[in-house]
Amino acid sequence: MALHVPKAPGFASMLKEGARAYSGLEEAVYRNINACKTFANSVLSAYGPNGMNKMIINHIEKQFVTSDAGTIMRELDVEHPAAKLMIEASQMQEAEAGDGTNFVVVFCGALLDEAEELLRLGVTSSDITEGYERALQKTLDILPTLTCHEIKDYRSLVPVRNAIRATVMSKQLGNEDFLADLIAKACISIMPEQTTFNVDNIRVCKILGSGLQMSEVIPGMVFKRFVEGEVTSATKAKIALYSCPVDIIQTETKGTVLIKSAEELKTFSQGEENLLEAQIKAIVDTGATVIVAGAKFGDMALHYMNKYGLMAVRLNSKFDLRRLSKAVNGTVLPRMTPPSTEELGYCDNVYVHELGDTSVTIFKSDGSESRIATVVIRGSTDNYMDDIERVIDDGVNTFKGLTRDARFLPGAGAAEIELAQQLSEFADTLPGLEQYAVRKFAKALETFPKALAENSGVNATEVVNQLYLAHKQGKKTEGFDIESEQPATIDVTTKNIFDLYTTKYWGLKYAVGAACTILKVDEIIMAKRAGGPKPRAGGPGSDDES
């Protein structure tokens, strides 16, 4: 008979077998801090224009090569609960600002790293979190005073291009001018007069082959499909959109037809054909020249469409069909009925084009204002084009942000150093233990210029010293010169290196919120062992065996 081993006192005795509980500084707080620091350090080397790429292979064996922290975190399946909190803060940043995911993780990791030092000196978690929250409040008060650039007209190409250049540069150094130009053109071309800008209206079509410089913006939509029938182009096209198959209509109930002779068979099929021809003819009579369907085209229907000169385009995705209906201002019909004048969509040019060895169907609007724009990306590998797509996504989100708040902060670590300097001065005015946390908050901000320098192979300490010296002399827009091989600073306004105000604002808020939440945890209770068979009491592999 197996010897009964009593459970350890505490939470473990109340919970199911295999449960684990960690408490106190050593077991819970430091363990959480170390997990978060490790994760933050892994994405720290991907920060900035010279950041290294990471190769991620996700759970379905798909490979990603990217320096985009948002993608890295989305594809990794992180188990640690504290690291998950940090990732959730980063995902909130992605939803709110569309960029700055790396900023949140790196800053949260830096705050926890500095907090660990204070904890070991005997400062309590509550004093540190209060100090961090006080420092955040002061930071958000200082932030508006640091703005160095504002866009007055976001329909003007040159200011917009200069504003989103730094966002693009952080992922694609060397191609920033070309890509910023593409993104700015695409965004401005669909900026509506009344309503707000919608990120979903910028589509991306990736076509393998050629080089990045052959990428272009097309006002309208591009589909990697060939047409179904023989007609391959239509100008000033009126478009009928259907979500049902374009074919002989099936009856709602099954029936049996008894055919006794060859003559009856001929007349039966003739009746079906005449009915289908009448339906196609009715659609042609409305003035439609293109039919777009979300399901298949029957062979007989294609025959009559070729006969009447109708262009047939099939879309496999219902979302693509919805977007196209929005782009051409048409209505998607659920049954094959002739559309009314209001239900017909309009497009200046619908044609088939060949890019590389890929046939594409293009719905192009030549008017001054298109509802949807597509960026056609060319590149040598799928991984490279995926990375360009992520850059475009960040650039488009930056444009969306500047349509709401057009203020910009100096980039290249200038804003962080200025904040760090002012916070250090603020810490000297505080009487309690909070001052130590505020000083550590300022030190954590130095992580960003240090990371930019280290990833560029430059002495980070010397760069930070030079930046502090410049900022003490009142040069608030002085940042790290990434193009210099020696530690050097540069006025970022001369190089158009700007960070969007709202991205930095939310990034600081989410990072501090996540760090304070993690520091307030003093006990971890895992109700059940994750994965694997449940251990027997006293058996090999059980927690009782120690």
Side-chain angles (χ1 to χ4, degrees):
M1 196 169 82
L3 177 70
H4 173 71
V5 180
K7 284 186 180 178
F11 265 108
S13 64
M14 303 176 207
L15 301 171
K16 281 185 180 177
E17 218 169 285
R20 289 176 291 174
Y22 306 100
S23 62
L25 280 177
E26 284 299 332
E27 280 198 327
V29 183
Y30 292 150
R31 191 184 278 246
N32 284 347
I33 288 173
N34 283 330
C36 295
K37 269 166 50 183
T38 307
F39 187 76
N41 287 338
S42 70
V43 292
L44 184 64
S45 59
Y47 185 76
N50 289 329
M52 304 298 282
N53 282 344
K54 309 287 177 192
M55 187 179 284
I56 313 291
I57 297 162
N58 69 3
H59 62 288
I60 55 167
E61 301 286 309
K62 190 179 177 197
Q63 182 178 306
F64 296 82
V65 179
T66 180
S67 62
D68 180 44
T71 307
I72 294 166
M73 285 178 279
R74 198 164 44 247
E75 298 308 327
L76 286 177
D77 201 8
V78 176
E79 274 291 312
H80 198 283
K84 265 186 178 174
L85 274 173
M86 196 163 65
I87 289 168
E88 281 165 14
S90 178
Q91 286 168 347
M92 281 301 299
Q93 171 76 0
E94 177 82 34
E96 187 68 49
D99 194 13
T101 47
N102 207 341
F103 179 91
V104 173
V105 174
V106 169
F107 191 45
C108 185
L111 287 172
L112 292 171
D113 191 15
E114 299 298 336
E116 186 177 11
E117 208 173 303
L118 289 177
L119 286 167
R120 293 194 189 280
L121 290 170
V123 183
T124 62
S125 295
S126 57
D127 283 330
I128 297 170
T129 53
E130 276 175 31
Y132 278 175
E133 280 159 7
R134 185 87 177 264
L136 174 67
Q137 197 53 55
K138 182 68 178 171
T139 303
L140 298 182
D141 291 343
I142 299 168
L143 212 57
T145 65
L146 303 183
T147 53
C148 63
H149 183 65
E150 191 168 350
I151 291 181
K152 301 284 186 246
D153 178 18
Y154 46 74
R155 293 177 194 277
S156 180
L157 181 65
V158 176
V160 169
R161 184 180 60 203
N162 291 342
I164 62 178
R165 188 173 171 273
T167 305
V168 176
M169 189 197 279
S170 68
K171 304 276 191 308
Q172 281 291 322
L173 185 62
N175 297 320
E176 66 271 8
D177 291 321
F178 175 72
L179 284 170
D181 201 47
L182 271 187
I183 297 163
K185 279 178 185 168
C187 293
I188 291 165
S189 70
I190 65 152
M191 187 66 206
E193 290 291 337
Q194 306 297 327
T195 53
T196 54
F197 178 80
N198 185 0
V199 173
D200 200 43
N201 289 349
I202 302 286
R203 308 306 306 159
V204 170
C205 182
K206 296 173 287 189
I207 296 171
L208 200 63
S210 194
L212 179 64
Q213 301 299 320
M214 295 304 290
S215 302
E216 58 180 326
V217 176
I218 292 174
M221 291 199 76
V222 179
F223 300 104
K224 282 202 278 187
R225 294 192 66 80
F226 197 73
V227 290
E228 299 291 310
E230 291 173 6
V231 184
T232 56
S233 67
T235 51
K236 295 187 178 175
K238 288 185 178 176
I239 303 165
L241 300 126
Y242 295 100
S243 57
C244 61
V246 178
D247 201 355
I248 294 163
I249 296 172
Q250 302 292 321
T251 53
E252 285 181 15
T253 55
K254 286 186 178 180
T256 306
V257 179
L258 192 61
I259 294 171
K260 293 177 180 174
S261 66
E263 196 59 42
E264 283 181 10
L265 179 61
K266 280 167 75 177
T267 51
F268 177 77
S269 60
Q270 188 68 43
E272 273 195 323
E273 288 166 18
N274 289 345
L275 183 64
L276 184 59
E277 184 174 9
Q279 286 175 321
I280 301 289
K281 181 80 168 65
I283 294 168
V284 172
D285 291 341
T286 62
T289 51
V290 179
I291 292 183
V292 178
K296 71 182 181 75
F297 285 87
D299 292 337
M300 189 57 67
L302 281 175
H303 165 72
Y304 289 121
M305 288 173 75
N306 290 336
K307 177 180 174 182
Y308 290 109
L310 275 173
M311 187 174 176
V313 181
R314 180 183 173 183
L315 300 179
N316 288 337
S317 164
K318 64 179 180 182
F319 300 106
D320 278 345
L321 193 63
R322 282 182 203 164
R323 288 188 192 104
L324 182 63
S325 72
K326 186 179 177 183
V328 300
N329 199 20
T331 305
V332 180
L333 302 172
R335 292 171 64 85
M336 218 179 98
T337 51
S340 64
T341 313
E342 292 78 25
E343 289 166 339
L344 278 171
Y346 175 80
C347 189
D348 293 308
N349 218 340
V350 184
Y351 60 98
V352 173
H353 188 52
E354 198 164 291
L355 292 166
D357 60 350
T358 309
S359 294
V360 292
T361 303
I362 299 173
F363 288 78
K364 191 174 182 182
S365 303
D366 296 328
S368 57
E369 191 180 300
S370 170
R371 289 162 178 263
I372 286 184
T374 303
V375 182
V376 177
I377 301 172
R378 305 302 307 279
S380 51
T381 65
D382 286 324
N383 263 320
Y384 179 65
M385 290 193 294
D386 288 343
D387 220 24
I388 299 295
E389 184 180 10
R390 286 187 277 272
V391 173
I392 290 170
D393 182 56
D394 284 351
V396 170
N397 275 295
T398 303
F399 180 82
K400 181 189 176 183
L402 73 87
T403 61
R404 293 173 174 179
D405 188 340
R407 289 177 293 172
F408 284 85
L409 297 164
E416 285 86 351
I417 289 291
E418 184 61 31
L419 284 170
Q421 185 184 303
Q422 293 198 32
L423 280 174
S424 297
E425 291 166 6
F426 172 65
D428 295 336
T429 66
L430 296 172
L433 286 171
E434 288 175 3
Q435 61 175 294
Y436 297 108
V438 174
R439 210 165 270 120
K440 289 293 185 187
F441 189 101
K443 196 178 175 193
L445 284 163
E446 293 174 12
T447 309
F448 298 101
K450 275 183 180 173
L452 289 172
E454 280 171 6
N455 293 344
S456 304
V458 177
N459 187 323
T461 311
E462 208 170 316
V463 167
V464 171
N465 290 342
Q466 285 191 20
L467 284 171
Y468 269 125
L469 181 66
H471 283 256
K472 278 207 162 50
Q473 293 167 356
K475 299 175 183 173
K476 289 186 177 183
T477 57
E478 204 74 13
F480 168 55
D481 184 5
I482 208 156
E483 290 170 0
S484 170
E485 290 180 11
Q486 299 299 320
T489 63
I490 191 171
D491 185 355
V492 295
T493 53
T494 60
K495 290 278 186 178
N496 295 322
I497 303 168
F498 302 118
D499 289 341
L500 190 65
Y501 173 83
T502 50
T503 304
K504 198 76 78 184
Y505 175 88
W506 288 109
L508 287 162
K509 269 194 142 181
Y510 288 133
V512 175
C516 289
T517 307
I518 291 163
L519 286 171
K520 283 175 183 171
V521 173
D522 75 330
E523 194 159 359
I524 306 167
I525 303 153
M526 299 172 84
K528 200 175 178 186
R529 186 186 292 276
K534 192 161 71 171
R536 296 194 315 274
S542 77
D543 284 341
D544 298 327
E545 191 184 67
S546 54

